[in-house]
Amino acid sequence: MYRAVTRDIEVTVEPFYLPEQSDPEDSRYVWGYRIVIANWSKTPVRLMHRYWHITDQNGQVDEVTGPGVIGEQPRLAPGDTYEYSSGCPLDTPSGMMFGRYQMETDDGEKFDVAIPAFSLDSPGLARTLN
């Protein structure tokens, strides 16, 4: 589990490998990830935009941006949580993702909330520690 907190907005990420959607012989590796966003602040916020920075093990970068998440722009009152799942395919057996959400308060203030960096590692992948 990976976690980041920005202005009392907590984002936790749990990545998981999807072997049934992956095909290593065809250089296709797919992960899912579950995200929980919790508003521990005293102000309601709406998730307006997302930005993802995805890097595969060869250093190839893909950037994804767009309105909301999974077709929604959820509003979180103080104490609310919002959960969703999505996925990411790569051409390599490992990679890394991080990003940010743009939030907006009811009075129009916009600010970014960090999505923590998390690794995408295929099961059984040999790791080398330096």
Side-chain angles (χ1 to χ4, degrees):
M1 189 85 65
Y2 300 83
R3 177 180 176 265
V5 179
T6 308
R7 289 182 53 168
D8 294 324
I9 308 296
E10 178 182 46
V11 179
T12 57
V13 183
E14 182 181 3
F16 47 92
Y17 184 64
L18 295 169
E20 67 280 358
Q21 294 184 30
S22 299
D23 185 0
E25 291 181 11
D26 196 29
S27 296
R28 179 172 168 80
Y29 303 85
V30 181
W31 289 266
Y33 52 87
R34 183 176 70 93
I35 294 192
V36 178
I37 304 166
N39 182 3
W40 304 123
S41 76
K42 295 179 174 155
T43 306
V45 295
R46 181 175 305 279
L47 192 161
M48 301 301 294
H49 296 281
R50 72 185 180 287
Y51 165 80
W52 285 107
H53 184 102
I54 306 161
T55 307
D56 72 14
Q57 77 180 33
N58 294 330
Q60 178 71 34
V61 173
D62 189 19
E63 294 180 299
V64 177
T65 185
V69 291
I70 63 168
E72 298 180 5
Q73 291 180 315
R75 182 178 184 275
L76 288 85
D80 282 354
T81 61
Y82 177 79
E83 180 178 330
Y84 74 96
S85 294
S86 192
C88 176
L90 291 180
D91 295 333
T92 62
S94 68
M96 178 162 247
M97 293 177 65
F98 68 89
R100 64 183 173 267
Y101 297 123
Q102 181 189 68
M103 299 293 196
E104 186 174 339
T105 64
D106 287 351
D107 63 4
E109 179 191 2
K110 295 178 181 174
F111 62 97
D112 288 341
V113 170
I115 302 169
F118 57 97
S119 63
L120 306 169
D121 296 312
S122 299
L125 184 65
R127 295 185 190 175
T128 303
L129 299 177
N130 295 321

